[in-house]
């Protein structure tokens, strides 16, 4: 109760009954008696020392009844009275009821109160038998009606003050038996000569005396020393019954409770919470919002919990996971800003702990995970299988790539375009990169299924590829100082081929121009001959040095490791290119697999000679030679704590990557290991007839996921999902297992290579390389040619400049009459070995004349490969989608349409005689391809 409020004593209505001739009952209501106000509390210097100063008392202590010796009843109320407290009670009797002025009468006769009292008084004075004669009643004229209960409201009592708390002054009667003072209690109005005089409504006792003396007691108590205050209160409590003690406890317990979690320093809180096991910690975070915010955001707490439960793997993978979560949140914050009063997001280490805890327990404890099985790729071999951003992506030797939903098995996309089997896949966000036996690298948009880029340059099968994402790596300068640098500046593609070489490309962004090295609709075109990597701004490096096919590669930061059938492993710098940094020799037979361990500055390779070698990236020396396999080591896998090798001898071996020590040999398969993947908890391996799951920490078999099948080609897993591609009765089948439950929606999986693609890296403006400059120049050219195209469309509408089709045919015939020798001599050429390239301009060939078998405008020999009309190499997606059939004249670098269905009218203008003054066209257009040398042989 605040100092401005004062308590009141609300008296119950007094009822006096007097029997004379008739029985008259009079009910008198009294105004509340205002009690003395408590003295205002002294504001302490430290409010924490007085926790009950502003405590809210329970309702039972703010409103309770009192009974006085004469039987009178009252109610103690703390604070100001409300309108409901002062509201009059309903008054009525048998056959009548007092109504309010605004209360409807319901068609019942209503008499005013003054008139009713006057009639009632007059009838009583005449001693009439019908006491309510003249007042309309509902019971009829002959009904017996008891006298009305009159309820008079008195005027408020005068203010009661106390001089001595033990003896309150009049008008209240003295509790010590002194003569009562003159009664001033208001009562009902006089009701006749026989009405008794009103009496005092109560006789004050100890309760009223205490209430009146309470302000003085409080003042005296506050002036006592603390020890005496404690003694006084304890004495009172000793004499208090259990019910009183319980009431006091209900007030004291929540007030004196202290939330130490929110009051202690964060370091102490983290230390205290570190003693709690994970289930208890999870329950503690549900106590309050404050506790949840403290527990969820404590990085040290969750880091220690990861270490104590032995699921902390050195820090590198944990930091990569945290960076990925932060990058994801930045993107989500741009799309959906968080409310101001929202709880803080949990630290990534908490999400990581939950993810690893679920991975360790769910995969073992769930006996029957949800399982979906569906056919895919007919009966063809699945050559590649990846799981990326909730998509299953599979590639096959049937030339196709398919995208499925893991939850339903529904086919979402089918990517068609490769003219050979697809043997290499890599994905980054919504971009997919594929390599094929058709010697091309294709870039796909996974949202639309469209092939946006075709990169040519390799002269044989693209056997392996990888996407190299920017990351902070240690770089040692010439003086030996090691510092952190971000490499590469933007994502790159590295491809290895059977043509003995590797190539480095820039991964195109969605907003950059599309590029096609050749016309994919021209099935007679040879990609190895039609593609000029010098013209491709996305091409960066061509790494040559291997003497046989490149079978495997791995790349991170600036470092590229390649393994070849020439039995060597080579270390490259993918930024500077040139000669390899190291040529690692030691294997006696072909190298089939490599992995890169930047954290330990080493690379590992597996060979047909049955050994695994660990190489030092700084010195090029062989650190360890891991022996034990008796046949080809075709597969290698690396996690923070384990190196796993799989061989054709039907075994898998788990090694310590630091020491090279053999930890476990997994021997339960009966055939060569065809596929496997592992993390820090388990190994999934496929062989002839079954797919097994192993405990990587003890080397035991946990379960068989597939049995009784022909063979397992690929297996991948991430988080709650596991996907396997197998063959059953000459049918290719994809199996999908979901080890999560309905409450595991926030289970975030870790990618198998530990590389995330959630973080967005912007290219540094001050460190622009040649490839970035080419792409930027190309985009500027595209903007300029947009203006040129607009002007060309205006010129094409001018009928005075463009001849009719009849005139065009005549011009073509005139141009065809020129001799071949004159045409060839007019355009001197430069032989580049693989293609014939005019110096000053390309020979123009008319589509109609080429299609009819006649010589073109330049009089080209019949043995010269003129090629069919190619797609232009630059093709913005928005133009293709909007106008795929509109022909357009473009330069040799930028085009806006996917195909040119026919020669544009402007294409004829290049063949006009010199007498017609028109702008010359020397660039390549969709109707003017360059001349290729037919004698160039296809390289396989």
């Amino acid at each position: 109760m605040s100092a401005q409020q004062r308590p009141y004593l609300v008296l119950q209505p007094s009822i006096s009954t007097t029997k004379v001739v008739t029985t008259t009952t009079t009910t008198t209501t009294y105004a509340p008696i205002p009690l003395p106000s408590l003295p205002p509390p002294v504001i302490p210097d430290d409010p924490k020392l007085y926790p009950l100063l502003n405590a809210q008392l329970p309702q039972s202590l703010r409103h309770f009844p009192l009974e006085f010796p004469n039987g009178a009843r009252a109610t103690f109320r703390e604070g100001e009275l409300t309108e409901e407290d002062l509201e009059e009670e309903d008054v009525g009797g048998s056959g009548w009821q007092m109504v309010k002025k605004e209360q409807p009468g319901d068609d019942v006769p209503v008499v005013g109160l003054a008139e009713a009292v006057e009639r009632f008084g007059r009838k009583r004075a005449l001693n009439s038998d019908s006491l309510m004669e003249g007042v309309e009643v509902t019971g009829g004229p002959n009904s017996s009606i008891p006298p009305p209960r009159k309820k008079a409201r008195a005027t408020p009592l005068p203010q009661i003050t106390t001089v001595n708390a033990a003896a309150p002054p009049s008008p209240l009667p003295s509790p010590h038996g002194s003569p009562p003072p003159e009664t001033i209690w208001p009562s009902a109005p006089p009701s006749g000569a026989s009405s008794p005089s009103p009496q005092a409504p109560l006789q004050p006792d100890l309760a009223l005396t205490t209430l009146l003396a309470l302000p003085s007691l409080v003042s005296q108590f506050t002036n006592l020393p603390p020890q005496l205050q404690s003694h006084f209160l304890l004495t009172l409590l000793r004499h208090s019954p259990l019910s009183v003690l319980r009431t006091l406890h209900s007030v004291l317990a929540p007030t004196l409770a202290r939330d130490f979690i929110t009051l202690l320093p964060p370091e102490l809180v983290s230390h205290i919470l570190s003693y709690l096991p994970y289930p208890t910690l999870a329950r503690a975070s549900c106590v309050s919002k404050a506790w949840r915010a403290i527990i969820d955001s404590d990085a040290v707490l969750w880091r220690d919990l990861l270490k104590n439960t032995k699921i902390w793997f050195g820090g590198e993978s944990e930091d990569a996971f945290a960076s990925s979560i932060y990058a994801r949140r930045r993107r989500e914050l741009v799309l959906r800003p968080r409310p101001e009063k929202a709880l803080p997001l949990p630290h990534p280490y908490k999400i990581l702990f939950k993810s690893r805890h679920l991975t360790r327990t769910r995969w073992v404890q769930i006996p029957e995970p949800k399982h979906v099985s569906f056919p895919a790729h007919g009966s063809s071999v699945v050559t590649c299988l990846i799981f990326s951003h909730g998509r299953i992506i599979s590639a096959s030797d049937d030339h196709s790539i398919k995208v499925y939903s893991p939850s339903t098995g529904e086919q979402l996309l089918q990517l068609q375009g490769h003219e050979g089997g697809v043997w290499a896949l890599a994905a980054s966000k919504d971009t997919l990169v594929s390599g094929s036996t058709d010697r091309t690298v294709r870039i796909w948009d996974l949202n639309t299924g469209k092939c946006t880029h075709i990169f040519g340059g390799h002269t044989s099968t693209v056997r392996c590829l990888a996407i190299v994402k920017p990351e902070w790596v240690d770089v040692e300068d010439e003086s030996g100082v090691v510092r952190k640098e971000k490499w590469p500046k933007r994502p790159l593609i590295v491809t290895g081929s059977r043509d003995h070489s590797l190539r480095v490309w820039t991964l195109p962004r969605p907003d950059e121009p599309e590029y096609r090295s050749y016309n994919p609709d021209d099935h007679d075109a040879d990609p190895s001959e039609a593609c000029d990597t010098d013209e491709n701004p996305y091409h960066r490096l061509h790494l040559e040095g291997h003497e046989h096919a490149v079978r495997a590669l791995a790349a991170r930061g600036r470092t590229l490791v390649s393994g070849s059938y020439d039995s060597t492993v080579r270390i490259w710098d993918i930024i500077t290119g040139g000669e390899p940094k190291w040529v690692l020799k030691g294997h006696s037979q072909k190298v089939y697999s490599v992995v890169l361990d930047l954290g330990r500055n080493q690379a590992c390779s597996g060979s047909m000679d049955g050994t695994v070698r660990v190489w030092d990236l700084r010195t090029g020396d062989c650190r360890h030679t891991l022996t034990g396999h008796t046949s080809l080591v075709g597969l290698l896998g690396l996690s923070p704590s384990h190196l796993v090798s799989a061989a054709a001898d039907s075994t898998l071996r788990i090694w310590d990557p630091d020491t090279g020590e053999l930890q476990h040999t997994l021997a339960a398969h009966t055939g060569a290991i065809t596929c496997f993947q592992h993390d820090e908890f388990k190994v999934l391996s496929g062989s002839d007839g079954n797919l097994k799951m192993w405990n990587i920490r003890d080397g035991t078999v946990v379960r068989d996921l597939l049995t009784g099948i022909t063979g397992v080609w690929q297996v991948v897993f991430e988080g709650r999902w596991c996907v396997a591609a197998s063959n059953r009765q000459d049918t290719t089948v994809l199996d999908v297992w979901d080890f999560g439950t309905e409450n595991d929606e926030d289970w975030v999986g870790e990618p198998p290579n530990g590389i995330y693609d959630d973080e967005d890296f912007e290219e540094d403006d001050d460190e622009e390389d040649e490839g970035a400059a080419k792409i930027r120049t190309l985009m500027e050219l595209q903007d300029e040619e947009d203006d040129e195209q607009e002007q060309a469309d205006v010129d094409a509408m001018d009928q005075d400049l463009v001849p009719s089709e009849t005139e065009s045919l005549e011009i073509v015939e005139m141009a065809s009459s020129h001799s071949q020798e004159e045409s060839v001599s007019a355009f001197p050429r430069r032989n580049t070995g693989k293609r014939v390239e005019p110096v000053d301009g390309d020979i123009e060939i008319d589509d109609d004349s080429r299609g009819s078998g006649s010589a073109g405008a330049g009089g080209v020999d019949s043995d010269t490969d003129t090629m069919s009309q190619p797609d232009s190499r630059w093709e913005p997606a928005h133009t293709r989608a909007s106008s795929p059939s509109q022909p357009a004249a473009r330069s040799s670098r930028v085009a806006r349409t996917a195909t040119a269905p026919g020669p544009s009218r402007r294409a004829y203008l290049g063949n006009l005689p010199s007498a017609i003054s028109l702008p010359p066209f020397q660039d390549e257009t969709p109707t003017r391809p360059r001349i290729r040398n037919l004698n160039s042989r296809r390289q396989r």
Side-chain angles (χ1 to χ4, degrees):
M1 182 176 66
S2 64
Q4 288 74 20
Q5 295 180 338
R6 60 186 306 171
Y8 283 85
L9 195 63
V10 181
L11 301 180
Q12 297 281 345
S14 63
I15 301 176
S16 61
T17 302
T18 303
K19 291 185 178 180
V20 184
V21 179
T22 60
T23 301
T24 303
T25 300
T26 304
T27 301
T28 307
T29 60
Y30 304 94
I33 303 175
L35 299 176
S37 300
L38 296 178
V42 179
I43 300 177
D45 296 335
D46 188 0
K48 294 182 179 180
L49 298 178
Y50 294 83
L52 294 176
L53 189 61
N54 297 314
Q56 185 71 21
L57 297 180
Q59 181 67 23
S60 60
L61 298 184
R62 291 187 287 113
H63 183 185
F64 54 88
L66 292 174
E67 185 172 355
F68 296 97
N70 63 344
R73 291 181 176 85
T75 302
F76 175 85
R77 296 179 184 269
E78 181 189 53
E80 296 292 338
L81 298 179
T82 62
E83 294 182 0
E84 296 179 358
D85 299 328
L86 299 177
E87 185 176 358
E88 292 182 345
E89 299 180 359
D90 292 337
V91 178
S94 177
W96 67 276
Q97 181 181 4
M98 184 177 290
V99 299
K100 296 181 180 179
K101 194 172 186 179
E102 63 274 7
Q103 184 175 347
D106 297 333
D107 299 331
V108 177
V110 177
V111 178
L113 178 61
E115 183 180 355
V117 171
E118 181 181 358
R119 294 182 183 181
F120 177 63
R122 185 170 58 253
K123 294 301 180 185
R124 288 191 60 186
L126 297 177
N127 197 14
S128 173
D129 293 336
S130 180
L131 298 179
M132 290 297 293
E133 183 179 353
V135 179
E136 299 293 338
V137 296
T138 58
N142 299 323
S143 60
S144 175
I145 303 174
R149 300 177 66 243
K150 294 183 291 183
K151 186 175 182 181
R153 190 165 184 90
T155 57
L157 291 174
Q159 176 67 35
I160 301 176
T161 59
T162 60
V163 177
N164 187 342
S170 69
L172 291 179
S174 172
H176 302 287
S178 59
E182 182 183 356
T183 58
I184 60 172
W185 301 101
S187 60
S191 55
S194 61
S195 297
S197 61
Q199 299 179 358
L202 58 88
Q203 295 182 6
D205 62 349
L206 188 61
L208 182 59
T209 304
T210 303
L211 289 176
L212 296 176
L214 187 60
S216 177
L217 294 177
V218 172
S219 299
Q220 295 178 13
F221 179 82
T222 55
N223 294 325
L224 297 177
Q227 294 83 358
L228 186 55
Q229 287 182 347
S230 301
H231 177 79
F232 176 71
L233 291 178
L234 186 58
T235 302
L236 295 179
L237 293 177
R238 284 175 177 174
H239 295 79
S240 300
L242 182 60
S243 59
V244 174
L245 295 178
R246 286 175 176 172
T247 303
L248 295 179
H249 180 267
S250 65
V251 177
L252 294 176
T255 305
L256 298 180
R258 285 293 176 267
D259 186 358
F260 68 95
I261 292 293
T262 58
L263 297 177
L264 290 177
E267 296 81 5
L268 290 179
V269 172
S270 179
H271 181 71
I272 293 172
L273 295 177
S274 64
Y275 288 94
L276 300 180
Y278 171 66
T280 305
L281 202 59
R283 289 193 294 269
S285 65
C286 300
V287 171
S288 64
K289 293 182 178 180
W291 280 34
R292 175 178 287 272
I294 292 173
I295 294 175
D296 286 1
S297 59
D298 191 342
V300 177
L301 172 65
W302 295 104
R303 183 200 62 191
D304 293 343
L305 196 59
L306 286 166
K307 292 181 178 180
N308 295 336
T309 54
K310 298 181 180 180
I311 54 177
W312 176 271
F313 307 132
E316 183 179 355
S317 62
E318 289 79 8
D319 292 342
F321 183 91
S323 299
S324 171
I325 295 297
Y326 286 135
R328 189 179 307 175
R329 288 175 179 175
R330 285 194 294 269
R331 291 198 307 272
E332 293 176 353
L333 188 61
V334 174
L335 299 176
R336 295 183 299 274
R338 302 185 72 248
E340 295 182 358
K341 297 183 179 180
L343 287 174
L345 295 174
H347 193 274
Y349 284 172
K350 181 196 176 181
I351 303 175
L352 179 62
F353 177 86
K354 182 175 183 179
S355 174
R356 290 180 176 176
H357 176 75
L358 292 175
T359 301
R360 180 172 56 180
T361 56
R362 290 281 195 270
W363 283 71
V364 177
Q365 296 175 357
I366 296 183
E368 297 292 337
K370 289 178 284 187
H371 182 202
V372 178
S373 181
F374 51 91
H377 296 284
S379 59
S380 301
V381 177
V382 175
T383 56
C384 303
L385 184 67
I386 60 177
F387 189 91
S388 175
H389 290 272
R391 306 183 184 99
I392 301 172
I393 307 173
S394 62
S396 172
D397 61 355
D398 64 359
H399 308 181
S400 70
I401 303 170
K402 296 186 178 182
V403 183
Y404 299 93
S405 166
S407 57
T408 63
E410 177 188 1
Q411 179 177 315
L412 305 177
L413 293 172
Q414 180 168 348
L415 313 181
Q416 295 281 6
H418 278 297
E419 299 176 5
V422 182
W423 285 88
L425 276 185
S428 176
K429 296 182 183 177
D430 296 327
T431 301
L432 178 69
V433 184
S434 60
S436 169
T437 59
D438 63 8
R439 293 158 287 170
T440 65
V441 178
R442 291 179 180 246
I443 316 295
W444 309 84
D445 186 341
L446 289 175
N447 290 322
T448 62
K450 175 185 175 183
C451 178
T452 57
H453 301 76
I454 302 176
F455 295 162
H458 285 295
T459 57
S460 187
T461 298
V462 179
R463 190 62 183 82
C464 49
L465 65 83
I467 296 177
V468 189
K469 303 180 180 71
E471 60 178 306
W472 293 96
V473 295
D474 293 330
V475 177
E476 183 176 355
D477 57 18
E478 298 177 355
S479 60
V481 178
V482 179
R483 62 181 182 275
K484 288 285 187 181
E485 293 183 1
K486 185 186 71 177
W487 291 104
K489 301 304 178 183
R490 59 177 293 179
L492 302 177
I493 306 170
V494 182
T495 56
S497 171
R498 287 178 180 169
D499 63 5
H500 311 176
S501 70
L502 301 102
R503 292 184 181 270
V504 182
W505 321 76
T506 300
L507 180 65
R509 295 190 179 110
D511 58 344
E512 291 177 339
E514 298 180 6
Y515 178 86
R516 289 173 175 79
S517 297
Y518 73 103
N519 181 9
D521 296 330
D522 183 5
H523 302 288
D524 296 330
D526 188 343
S528 62
E529 299 174 3
C531 303
D532 186 358
T533 55
D534 293 337
E535 295 183 359
N536 186 350
Y538 297 103
H539 183 266
R540 285 177 174 253
L541 296 173
H542 185 204
L543 306 178
E544 297 179 296
H546 281 295
E547 299 174 358
H548 212 296
V550 178
R551 180 63 175 79
L553 64 85
R556 285 185 62 182
R558 297 182 60 140
T559 305
L560 167 65
V561 180
S562 60
S564 170
Y565 285 167
D566 62 6
S567 305
T568 66
V569 176
R570 296 178 186 249
I571 311 298
W572 313 80
D573 188 327
I574 60 176
I575 303 301
T576 60
E579 295 297 322
K581 295 173 62 176
W582 301 106
V583 179
L584 310 178
K585 297 181 179 180
H587 288 294
S588 59
Q589 296 187 48
K590 299 177 180 179
V591 177
Y592 272 80
S593 55
V594 295
V595 292
L596 179 58
D597 188 355
L598 277 186
R600 299 180 178 90
N601 252 313
Q602 63 187 23
C604 307
S605 58
S607 169
M608 186 180 282
D609 61 13
T611 65
V612 177
R613 288 182 176 264
V614 182
W615 310 90
D616 191 321
L617 295 179
R618 289 196 181 101
T619 63
D621 297 333
C622 181
R623 290 182 178 178
H624 310 288
T625 301
L626 313 181
T627 59
H629 287 294
T630 60
S631 184
L632 162 68
V633 181
L635 300 170
L636 284 179
L638 180 69
S639 65
S641 306
H642 304 284
L643 172 66
V644 181
S645 60
D649 61 4
S650 72
T651 66
L652 299 97
R653 292 176 181 262
I654 304 172
W655 315 84
D656 186 334
D658 290 310
T659 64
E661 178 186 359
L662 177 64
Q663 296 176 335
H664 304 288
T665 299
L666 312 182
H669 290 290
T670 58
I673 307 301
T674 56
C675 59
F676 86 91
Q677 184 179 325
H678 81 284
D679 58 14
E680 291 293 321
F681 307 104
K682 60 188 177 296
V683 180
L684 267 65
S685 59
S687 180
D688 291 341
N690 53 52
L691 176 66
K692 293 181 178 294
M693 184 171 74
W694 312 74
N695 186 328
I696 199 172
R697 302 192 176 187
D698 58 18
T700 59
V701 177
V702 177
R703 66 169 74 190
D704 287 335
L705 291 176
L706 288 176
T707 57
I709 57 178
T710 306
V712 182
W713 286 319
Q714 301 290 337
V715 62
V716 294
F717 63 81
E718 181 177 322
R720 62 192 293 170
W721 301 102
C722 177
V723 186
S726 61
N727 180 266
R728 303 176 190 174
Q729 300 177 352
D730 295 331
T731 301
T732 300
V733 177
L734 289 182
D735 292 274
V736 183
W737 293 268
D738 181 6
F739 288 88
T741 62
E742 297 179 355
N743 299 325
D744 297 336
E745 295 300 329
D746 54 348
W747 184 351
V748 180
E750 300 178 71
N753 56 0
I755 304 299
Y756 300 84
D757 57 4
D758 292 288
E759 188 162 0
D760 295 323
F761 286 94
E762 296 295 336
E763 188 174 355
D764 293 341
D765 297 332
D766 56 344
E767 298 188 21
E768 181 182 280
D769 56 14
E770 182 181 358
K774 287 182 179 180
I775 298 174
R776 186 169 287 104
T777 301
L778 175 66
M779 298 180 70
E780 294 173 356
L781 280 174
Q782 185 178 10
D783 294 337
E784 294 177 0
E785 294 199 0
D786 288 340
D787 298 335
E788 295 179 4
Q789 178 64 28
E790 183 178 357
Q791 183 61 36
D793 294 339
V794 174
D795 294 342
M797 296 298 293
D798 192 344
Q799 298 299 322
D800 294 334
L801 292 178
V802 181
S804 64
E805 295 190 5
T806 305
E807 295 171 337
S808 299
L809 294 175
E810 294 176 356
I811 293 173
V812 171
E813 293 176 358
M814 291 173 60
S816 300
S817 63
H818 293 178
S819 63
Q820 177 179 349
E821 293 79 4
E822 293 175 353
S823 175
V824 173
S825 62
F827 296 95
R829 303 177 185 177
R830 178 177 68 248
N831 189 359
T832 60
K834 287 187 179 180
R835 54 190 297 173
V836 180
E837 199 166 15
V839 176
D840 298 326
D842 290 341
I843 298 175
E844 302 174 7
I845 301 174
D846 186 273
D847 287 351
D848 294 337
S849 62
R850 184 170 65 247
S852 61
S854 59
V860 180
D861 292 336
S862 60
D863 59 350
T864 303
D865 181 15
T866 61
M867 296 182 63
S868 64
Q869 170 182 311
D871 266 350
S872 182
R873 301 178 185 181
W874 301 103
E875 195 165 358
H878 65 277
T879 309
R880 286 193 56 175
S882 60
S883 57
S885 61
Q886 294 180 358
R890 305 290 289 162
S891 71
S892 61
R893 294 175 180 259
V894 183
R896 309 180 75 185
T897 56
T899 58
S904 65
R905 307 185 74 178
R906 188 171 179 183
Y908 293 108
L909 301 182
N911 298 322
L912 293 177
S914 58
I916 302 178
S917 177
L918 291 176
F921 287 88
Q922 301 295 340
D923 294 335
E924 177 185 340
T925 64
T927 59
R928 301 171 61 242
R930 298 191 176 203
I931 302 300
R932 310 290 180 187
N933 189 348
L934 189 62
N935 296 326
S936 299
R937 300 181 61 185
R938 302 177 73 177
Q939 301 183 26
R940 299 183 181 273

